[in-house]
């Protein structure tokens, strides 16, 4: 029956599982190559075994981008120009190989500008083998004796590993032997001088803690990524010299454990360093040929050499590989020589090459972006998508970053000044990469069988061989001495010579002696068996004791190794934290100082704020006070102006009425002249012009100066001279002006309020009405009318005339008045007429009815005049 077991690729831990939350930063190393013979200026200085310093070359303008002239960059370790390949290997790659053997994945890549020593570091040259041949050598030195026979492990096409049974493996081996003419033992082969002496035997090293009870097999693949296409460098294609077929590109697939792999990629099982390196060299040659044929530049492609190690425990006998697919483990180590990191502009690429160059840079750019996003996600706790899929290189290594494994990068730098700017970019990338953390791979569980199976099986086989040899060898004729001694311990035999047929003494004695011997022998056999059994059980006990002790020691050793590693890690962590804490302390110090300054500022600002608030308060109250004062002033002014306005309106009214009256009068006179001029020569007496004039001080009202031949229609004197009776109505509210302007009507009945009785006795009525004019003067109006009888027998008054007398308020202007009465505006004495009250009254303005005097007055179309 053919039984096959499928091996698993290292399982990617489920996303949320917390069993392994330990992480390690990507290990970034820096290797400085020696300056080339033609280069003179150097821009890099190694200042410690972890730090380098970059100097801007003299020609370059320094602070152009805010860069300092000198910048320092730190790494996990810096390797100066004198570093040997061996030293580099010990530090950088050896732990990865150890991990590989202990079922853990690793990724190692070289990064840098073209010519910086990436290939030298990864591959090396004869006599100076790089990380790749040394890693292969270490693998085979470690697992060499424990390798499974060829074809016991067989890769499937889904990135898994099958375990074939003995028969199938044997058949496959026979097929291989018949197909190829390669001699079976590599020792007899001539080694290609191109890669001879890659590693000298004295450099050989091997991993500790190799599980001897497992069986191992190494598989290698070699791919090239050019222009974002993947090519299998180990693919055996029938070469057609006439029409060489262009290499077919491969695609990436995800296996059932979500690990990425190159679908259909050749995986060659190799059994020794030489064989493995030969396979590598075959790929290398193919790569060179393809590059020449297709006019490509190798510095623009990424080369990826994948070493897969399959391991499975031996069965209980320690004889064959256990046919249990769950017990097969596959780990892999990727050795990547990246394309030159320089920008496209630096290369003299043209045409299609330019496009390719752009693409290659694109993949490195994607790598940078991925690292950037990863770092951001890890540092800020964000969950941005990492664009692994944007390029083949990053997509292929996705699992290292979001799964688990150890990632290391050797940053190669050429110290020549021409590379300064590119090197600066390389340094920045390196700095960023160091901050990315990758989950630490967990230890695989070991199978349930006791340890030391292989050894015991070997010992058994050895013993068997020895015995077989013993049996076939010459037999020694003598008895072994032990047997002799044993025989001597038996009771001696009596003389057994029979004297005659009647000798019945000798025989019975002999029989007795023999029986005795027989009994002794029986006893001895029993004794022997007992002792043997005892010895056996003791031995067995000892054996198991030893076994368990050995197990224990083995276990302890493993634990010790782990503890050592842990201690180392913790030491590193402590160093890192110490550095960080120093940095933070420094920052705190600065912050403290800044805080103090700010607090000082705050205090002074608060002080200022307070004083300003106080000032504001003061200003506010000042403002309020001002406001109320202004309000007072405004009301005062308003009142004043209201009065003034009223006064002016009234004055204007008077003026207008006066003008109207004058016109009216003129018209009347004209009429009188026309109608009466011929018959009557007597002109109505008219006062002199001077008499018409109102002294300006007396009244603010404009004087009704007639412009034409103004005629004074009636004289007041004639009024009172007649036999008319007057009702003199003076309201008791009137102010006693005590002046010359008091109307004086002889023969009048004085009343405070008009009454029927007084009116019936009179035929004339005068109302003395007082009011305060807008200019503060008291204005007295004499409203005159005629009394007539109504049909109902009552009395009615029809107003006929209004006289306005103006007088300054006696309280405020009594002194001024007196002076004014004595002298005119020009200081000349006034005419005597003015002193007469009556004259003065009559000289006062006469108003026609119809002016707006209020509701109490009857309106008439014109003023009635009476002849004297
Ligand atoms: P890259 O692969 O980065 O383009 P190479 O590895 O091809 O660069 O190196 C360019 C040249 O520099 C090679 O001739 C190589 O031998 C030499 N070189 C690189 N690094 C070193 C070193 N550390 N010591 C001596 N020579 C070196
Ligand atoms: Mg190179």
């Amino acid at each position: 029956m053919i039984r096959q077991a499928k091996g698993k690729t290292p399982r990617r831990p489920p996303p949320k599982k917390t069993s392994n939350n330990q992480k390690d930063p990507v290990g970034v190393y820096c290797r400085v190559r020696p300056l080339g013979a033609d280069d003179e200026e150097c821009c890099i200085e190694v200042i410690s075994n972890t730090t380098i310093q970059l100097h801007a070359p003299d020609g370059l303008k320094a602070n152009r981008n805010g860069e300092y002239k000198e910048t320092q960059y730190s790494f996990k370790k810096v390797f100066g120009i004198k570093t040997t390949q061996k030293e580099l290997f010990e530090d950088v790659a050896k732990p990865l190989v150890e991990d590989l053997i202990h079922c853990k994945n690793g990724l190692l890549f070289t990064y840098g500008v073209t010519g910086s020593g990436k290939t030298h570091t990864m591959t090396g040259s004869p006599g100076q083998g790089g990380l790749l041949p040394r890693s292969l050598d270490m693998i085979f030195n470690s697992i060499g004796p424990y390798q499974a026979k060829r074809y016991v492990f067989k890769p499937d096409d889904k990135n898994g590993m099958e375990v074939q049974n003995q028969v199938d493996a044997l058949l496959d081996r026979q097929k291989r032997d018949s197909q190829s003419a390669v001699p079976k033992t590599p020792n007899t082969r001539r080694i290609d001088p191109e890669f001879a002496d890659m590693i000298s035997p004295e450099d050989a090293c091997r991993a500790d803690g190799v599980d001897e009870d497992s069986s191992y097999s190494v598989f290698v693949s070699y791919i090239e990524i050019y222009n974002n296409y993947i090519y299998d460098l180990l693919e055996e294609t029938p070469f057609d010299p006439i029409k060489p077929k262009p290499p077919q590109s491969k695609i990436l697939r995800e296996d059932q454990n979500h690990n990425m792999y190159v679908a259909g990629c050749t995986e060659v099982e190799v059994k020794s360093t030489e064989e493995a390196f030969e396979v590598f060299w075959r790929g290398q040659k193919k790569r060179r040929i393809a590059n020449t044929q297709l006019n490509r530049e190798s510095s623009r492609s990424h080369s990826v050499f994948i070493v897969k190690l399959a391991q499975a425990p031996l069965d209980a006998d320690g004889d064959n590989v256990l046919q249990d697919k769950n017990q097969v483990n596959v780990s892999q180590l990727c050795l990547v020589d990246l394309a030159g990191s320089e920008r496209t502009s630096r290369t003299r690429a043209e045409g299609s090459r330019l496009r390719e160059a752009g693409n290659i840079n694109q993949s490195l750019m994607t790598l940078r972006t991925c690292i950037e996003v990863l770092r951001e996600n890890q540092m800020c706790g964000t969950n941005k998508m990492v664009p692994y899929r944007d390029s083949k290189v990053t997509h292929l290594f996705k699992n290292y970053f979001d799964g688990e494994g150890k990632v290391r990068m050797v940053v190669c730098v050429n110290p020549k000044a021409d590379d300064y700017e590119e090197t600066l970019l390389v340094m920045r990338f390196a700095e960023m990469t160091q901050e990315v953390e990758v989950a630490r791979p967990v230890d695989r569980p070991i199978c349930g069988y006791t340890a030391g199976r292989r050894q015991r099986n070997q010992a058994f086989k050895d013993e068997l061989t020895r015995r077989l040899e013993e049996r076939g060898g010459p037999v020694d004729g003598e008895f072994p001495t032990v047997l002799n001694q044993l025989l001597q311990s038996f009771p001696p035999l009596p003389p057994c010579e029979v004297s005659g047929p009647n000798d019945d003494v000798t025989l019975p004695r002999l029989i007795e002696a023999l029986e005795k011997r027989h009994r002794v022998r029986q006893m001895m056999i029993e004794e022997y068996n007992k002792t043997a059994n005892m010895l056996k059980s003791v031995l067995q006990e000892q054996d198991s004791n030893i076994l368990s002790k050995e197990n224990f020691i083995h276990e302890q050793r493993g634990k010790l190794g782990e503890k050592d590693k842990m201690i180392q890690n913790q030491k590193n962590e402590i160093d890192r934290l110490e550095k960080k804490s120093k940095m933070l302390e420094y920052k705190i110090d600065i912050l403290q100082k800044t805080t103090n300054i700010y607090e000082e500022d705050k205090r002074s600002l608060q002080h200022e704020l307070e004083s300003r608030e106080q000032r504001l308060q003061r200003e506010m109250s000042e403002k309020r006070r001002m406001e109320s004062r202004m309000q007072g002033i405004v009301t005062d002014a308003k009142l004043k102006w209201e009065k003034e306005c009223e006064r002016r309106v009234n004055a204007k009214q008077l003026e207008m009425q006066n003008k109207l009256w004058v016109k009216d009068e003129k018209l009347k006179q004209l009429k009188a002249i026309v109608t009466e001029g011929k018959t009557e020569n007597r002109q109505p007496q008219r006062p002199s012009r001077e008499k018409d004039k109102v002294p300006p001080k007396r009244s603010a009202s404009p004087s009704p100066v007639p412009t034409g031949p103004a005629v004074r229609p009636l004289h007041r004197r004639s009024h009172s001279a007649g036999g008319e009776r007057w009702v003199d109505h003076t309201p008791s509210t009137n102010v006693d002006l005590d002046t010359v302007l008091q109307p004086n009507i002889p023969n009048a009945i004085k009343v405070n309020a008009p009454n029927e009785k007084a009116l019936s006795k009179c035929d004339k009525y005068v109302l003395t009405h007082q009011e305060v004019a807008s200019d503060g003067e008291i204005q007295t109006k004499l409203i005159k009318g005629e009394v007539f009888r109504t049909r109902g027998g009552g009395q009615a008054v029809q107003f006929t005339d209004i006289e306005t007398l103006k007088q300054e308020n006696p309280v405020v202007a009594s002194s001024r008045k007196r002076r004014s009465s004595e002298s005119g505006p020009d200081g000349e004495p006034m005419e005597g007429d003015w002193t007469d009250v009556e004259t003065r009254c009559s000289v006062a303005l006469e108003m026609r009815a119809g002016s707006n005097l209020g509701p109490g007055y009857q309106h008439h179309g014109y003023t009635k005049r009476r002849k004297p």
Side-chain angles (χ1 to χ4, degrees):
M1 192 187 77
I2 294 173
R3 205 154 57 100
Q4 286 191 334
K6 264 192 191 172
K8 296 173 296 171
T9 47
R11 203 181 290 277
R12 195 168 69 149
K16 288 285 171 279
K17 214 173 135 190
T18 47
S19 65
N20 174 34
N21 44 19
Q22 276 184 305
K23 287 189 157 205
D24 296 307
V26 173
V28 180
Y29 300 82
C30 177
R31 186 184 203 183
V32 185
R33 58 158 281 185
L35 210 56
D38 303 334
D39 300 308
E40 278 153 19
E41 201 186 342
C42 174
C43 69
I44 290 171
E45 193 186 334
V46 178
I47 57 174
S48 79
N49 62 356
T50 56
T51 312
I52 63 162
Q53 184 163 296
L54 248 71
H55 310 268
D58 294 339
L60 200 82
K61 215 172 128 212
N63 289 6
R64 195 182 45 184
N65 294 327
E67 303 287 355
Y68 297 106
K69 207 167 162 57
E70 280 160 9
T71 37
Q72 291 187 355
Y73 294 92
S74 290
F75 298 87
K76 190 161 180 182
K77 196 161 179 184
V78 171
F79 300 97
I81 53 170
K82 294 212 175 76
T83 313
T84 61
Q85 299 280 59
K86 183 175 187 268
E87 282 163 2
L88 188 84
F89 172 78
E90 299 268 334
D91 273 321
V92 179
K94 200 174 165 183
L96 290 176
V97 175
E98 263 163 4
D99 272 9
L100 178 79
I101 288 165
H102 295 110
C103 302
K104 296 168 189 178
N105 290 343
L107 168 64
L108 171 63
F109 54 95
T110 52
Y111 185 92
V113 176
T114 297
S116 59
K118 296 185 295 296
T119 308
H120 175 80
T121 299
M122 192 53 90
T123 311
S125 49
Q128 280 193 303
L131 300 177
L132 189 144
R134 280 171 202 274
S135 298
L136 287 173
D137 195 46
M138 180 172 166
I139 293 168
F140 286 106
N141 285 339
S142 309
I143 60 147
Y146 317 124
Q147 289 190 78
K149 289 207 176 96
R150 215 180 281 269
Y151 301 124
V152 169
F153 289 100
K154 194 176 180 186
D156 64 9
D157 54 357
K158 293 181 195 72
N159 205 31
M161 196 65 80
E162 293 170 350
V163 183
Q164 291 203 110
N165 62 31
Q166 303 271 5
V167 181
D168 285 341
L170 182 70
L171 286 174
D172 276 353
R173 279 199 294 278
Q174 280 173 353
K175 207 161 86 185
R176 175 181 186 260
D177 290 346
S178 64
Q179 270 176 0
S180 63
V182 271
K184 266 177 100 180
T185 43
N187 300 347
T188 55
R189 256 183 301 159
R190 193 178 52 83
I191 292 172
D192 193 329
E194 266 196 282
F195 61 86
D197 310 318
M198 278 304 223
I199 352 131
S200 49
E202 61 266 26
D203 285 353
C205 64
R206 78 189 278 270
D208 296 324
V210 179
D211 182 10
E212 297 178 3
D213 292 319
S214 281
S215 213
Y216 302 83
S217 253
V218 179
F219 296 85
V220 294
S221 322
Y222 193 19
I223 58 166
E224 179 179 36
I225 303 177
Y226 187 92
N227 199 18
N228 216 22
Y229 287 108
I230 302 176
Y231 299 105
D232 183 356
L233 293 174
L234 301 183
E235 199 168 33
E236 303 268 6
T237 42
F239 181 67
D240 184 354
I242 300 149
K243 195 176 161 232
K245 247 183 28 189
Q248 294 294 300
S249 66
K250 301 277 174 195
I251 57 161
L252 287 178
R253 284 235 177 91
E254 195 173 33
D255 69 10
Q256 56 179 4
N257 296 320
H258 306 292
N259 290 315
M260 298 310 300
Y261 70 99
V262 180
C265 183
T266 313
E267 288 177 280
V268 182
E269 184 173 12
V270 284
K271 292 288 167 206
S272 69
T273 310
E274 289 75 18
E275 196 188 341
F277 202 71
E278 200 197 69
V279 170
F280 168 76
W281 213 250
R282 211 165 69 212
Q284 192 78 343
K285 271 184 183 160
K286 197 169 166 183
R287 186 180 171 201
R288 241 183 279 161
I289 291 167
N291 284 342
T292 323
Q293 276 179 354
L294 300 169
N295 191 25
R296 306 192 305 204
E297 259 183 65
S298 64
S299 71
R300 313 204 177 294
S301 71
H302 315 281
S303 75
V304 184
F305 190 74
I306 303 167
V307 186
K308 252 189 198 176
L309 181 68
Q311 54 186 294
L314 292 174
D315 58 15
D317 305 334
D319 197 14
N320 288 318
V321 177
L322 188 72
Q323 300 248 314
D324 178 358
K325 60 178 176 181
N326 291 321
Q327 295 287 348
V328 181
N329 259 309
V330 183
S331 45
Q332 69 175 32
L333 173 63
C334 285
L335 303 168
V336 188
D337 189 356
L338 285 176
S341 72
E342 62 273 3
R343 290 165 292 188
T344 320
S345 62
R346 193 187 174 221
T347 61
R348 271 161 266 102
E350 46 190 61
S352 65
R353 269 205 192 176
L354 183 72
R355 202 170 55 243
E356 290 158 8
N359 253 328
I360 289 151
N361 269 337
Q362 189 61 46
S363 65
L364 283 182
M365 204 130 90
T366 307
L367 177 65
R368 279 193 286 268
T369 314
C370 288
I371 294 282
E372 228 169 71
V373 176
L374 266 170
R375 184 182 65 150
E376 197 190 321
N377 281 349
Q378 291 176 357
M379 286 184 142
C380 313
T382 50
N383 199 14
K384 274 195 196 169
M385 201 196 66
V386 185
Y388 295 114
R389 284 161 188 273
D390 288 3
S391 91
K392 295 282 189 289
V393 178
T394 49
H395 200 185
L396 182 59
F397 300 128
K398 173 174 174 279
N399 304 114
Y400 285 98
F401 291 101
D402 65 4
E404 55 172 48
K406 197 177 264 181
V407 182
R408 292 191 164 186
M409 174 168 88
V410 182
V411 170
C412 297
V413 282
N414 189 342
K416 69 174 177 180
D418 292 348
D419 276 5
Y420 173 75
E421 283 188 75
E422 294 297 346
T423 304
L424 211 61
L425 295 178
V426 171
M427 290 298 137
R428 293 218 191 100
F429 174 66
E431 220 173 25
M432 192 168 67
T433 309
Q434 290 185 85
E435 288 172 344
V436 170
E437 290 188 326
V438 176
R440 186 182 299 177
V442 287
D443 288 317
R444 305 281 146 195
I446 43 167
C447 74
Y449 297 113
T450 52
R453 301 191 297 285
R454 186 189 291 275
Q455 236 175 26
R456 255 177 295 141
N457 186 268
Q458 196 58 48
F460 172 74
K461 281 182 183 164
D462 288 352
E463 179 65 20
L464 208 68
T465 325
R466 194 180 66 82
R467 294 229 185 134
L468 282 173
E469 276 172 1
E470 236 172 43
R471 197 186 288 172
V475 182
D476 205 328
E478 288 175 37
F479 274 117
T481 39
V482 185
L483 221 59
N484 270 337
Q485 279 167 10
L486 209 68
L487 279 176
Q488 276 161 21
S489 67
F490 283 113
L493 284 178
C496 43
E497 231 163 279
V498 185
S499 51
N502 296 329
D503 189 359
D504 46 0
V505 178
T506 314
L507 275 177
R509 211 186 286 157
L510 193 64
I511 286 166
E512 193 190 340
L514 283 174
E515 273 175 352
K516 220 178 190 173
R517 276 193 172 202
H518 182 70
R519 274 202 303 278
V520 170
R521 187 170 166 264
Q522 213 69 36
M523 258 165 56
M524 276 171 85
I525 283 170
E526 267 170 36
E527 194 64 28
Y528 169 78
N529 279 344
K530 236 202 252 159
T531 318
N533 278 342
M534 218 168 69
L535 202 69
K536 211 171 161 185
S537 69
V538 168
L539 275 174
Q540 266 169 352
E541 209 175 282
Q542 295 288 335
D543 213 25
S544 71
N545 257 354
I546 286 170
L547 262 179
S548 70
K549 290 237 162 83
E550 262 174 5
N551 272 350
F552 182 72
I553 287 168
H554 191 74
E555 235 169 62
Q556 292 298 320
R557 231 182 242 150
K559 276 187 191 162
L560 208 67
E562 261 166 39
K563 287 262 150 67
D564 270 352
K565 262 187 220 161
M566 227 154 83
I567 287 170
Q568 195 51 45
N569 283 340
Q570 306 237 320
K571 259 188 204 156
N572 290 347
E573 184 67 12
I574 285 169
D575 275 359
R576 200 175 65 83
L577 288 176
E578 261 173 10
K579 259 190 220 161
K580 211 165 153 184
S581 97
K582 237 178 241 166
M583 192 64 199
L584 286 176
E585 264 169 21
Y586 176 69
K587 275 187 187 163
I588 286 170
D589 208 40
I590 288 173
L591 283 176
Q592 194 71 51
K593 277 179 194 157
T594 321
T595 311
N596 286 346
I597 291 169
Y598 279 144
E599 254 165 22
E600 197 69 37
D601 273 7
K602 192 183 142 203
R603 267 200 295 278
S604 73
L605 282 174
Q606 234 157 15
H607 201 72
E608 201 182 317
L609 189 75
E610 272 166 22
S611 71
R612 279 191 187 197
E613 252 169 18
Q614 277 173 7
R615 217 161 66 201
L616 194 73
Q617 214 77 44
R618 274 206 306 276
E619 275 168 9
M620 286 279 273
S621 65
E622 186 71 21
K623 198 181 132 207
R624 270 200 295 276
R625 237 179 18 238
M626 203 75 160
E627 248 173 31
S628 64
R629 220 165 64 201
M630 287 316 281
Q631 220 145 32
I633 291 169
V634 165
T635 11
D636 283 359
K638 203 172 135 198
L639 267 173
K640 204 174 127 195
W641 279 105
E642 268 173 5
K643 269 186 201 162
E644 175 68 14
C645 286
E646 203 182 325
R647 186 183 65 76
R648 285 193 188 167
V649 166
N650 283 339
K652 206 72 188 169
Q653 255 174 10
L654 279 177
E655 189 191 328
M656 298 317 286
Q657 277 166 353
N658 233 348
K659 276 182 187 166
L660 246 154
W661 181 81
V662 170
K663 266 188 196 152
D664 236 24
E665 204 57 35
K666 272 184 198 167
L667 244 145
K668 261 194 197 134
Q669 280 177 6
L670 214 64
K671 212 170 152 187
I673 289 163
V674 170
T675 51
E676 294 165 36
K678 290 164 198 168
T679 51
E680 273 180 57
N681 266 335
R682 204 172 58 113
Q683 292 278 322
Q685 233 182 318
R686 65 180 250 231
S688 68
R689 262 189 173 193
E690 287 77 16
K691 276 188 184 174
D692 273 347
K693 253 193 215 164
V694 178
K697 278 283 171 184
R698 294 262 163 183
S699 168
S701 316
S703 342
V705 184
T707 45
V711 177
R712 188 75 191 148
L714 296 167
H715 203 279
R716 288 286 146 197
R717 232 183 278 270
S718 61
H719 250 258
S720 41
E724 297 157 335
R725 283 288 305 265
W726 288 81
V727 176
D728 185 359
H729 175 195
T730 311
S732 53
T733 51
N734 278 13
V735 180
D736 186 9
L737 290 171
D738 192 24
T739 62
V740 288
L741 272 172
Q742 288 299 333
N744 185 12
I745 308 164
N747 212 9
I749 303 170
K750 282 186 194 279
V751 288
N752 284 337
N755 55 48
E756 190 82 357
K757 200 176 148 202
L759 284 173
S760 63
K761 285 178 190 161
C762 302
D763 50 1
K764 293 275 184 183
Y765 169 88
V766 61
L767 166 68
T768 310
H769 171 74
Q770 281 183 342
E771 61 186 32
V772 180
S774 56
D775 54 1
E777 286 178 7
I778 289 182
Q779 188 173 275
T780 306
K781 282 187 179 139
L782 300 180
I783 301 156
K784 295 174 187 172
E786 280 171 28
V787 181
F788 57 89
R789 272 156 194 81
T790 59
R791 260 188 234 173
Q795 313 293 326
V797 179
Q798 188 172 31
F799 294 105
T800 54
D801 196 9
I802 297 171
E803 281 180 30
T804 302
L805 309 172
K806 272 206 163 177
Q807 157 126 33
E808 272 182 86
N809 197 327
V811 190
V812 289
S814 58
S815 57
R816 198 172 56 182
K817 185 177 69 191
R818 178 94 16 233
R819 254 185 285 122
S820 311
S821 66
E822 282 163 9
S823 57
D826 37 14
E828 274 174 42
M830 303 290 277
E831 281 174 50
D833 289 16
W834 283 102
T835 51
D836 182 340
V837 176
E838 216 175 328
T839 313
R840 198 169 289 198
C841 282
S842 66
V843 166
L845 296 174
E846 279 187 31
M847 295 233 37
R848 184 175 71 127
S851 36
N852 193 13
L853 290 170
Y857 299 98
Q858 199 167 349
H859 290 228
H860 281 268
Y862 59 94
T863 312
K864 279 193 180 169
R865 298 269 162 219
R866 286 184 153 247
K867 288 181 189 167

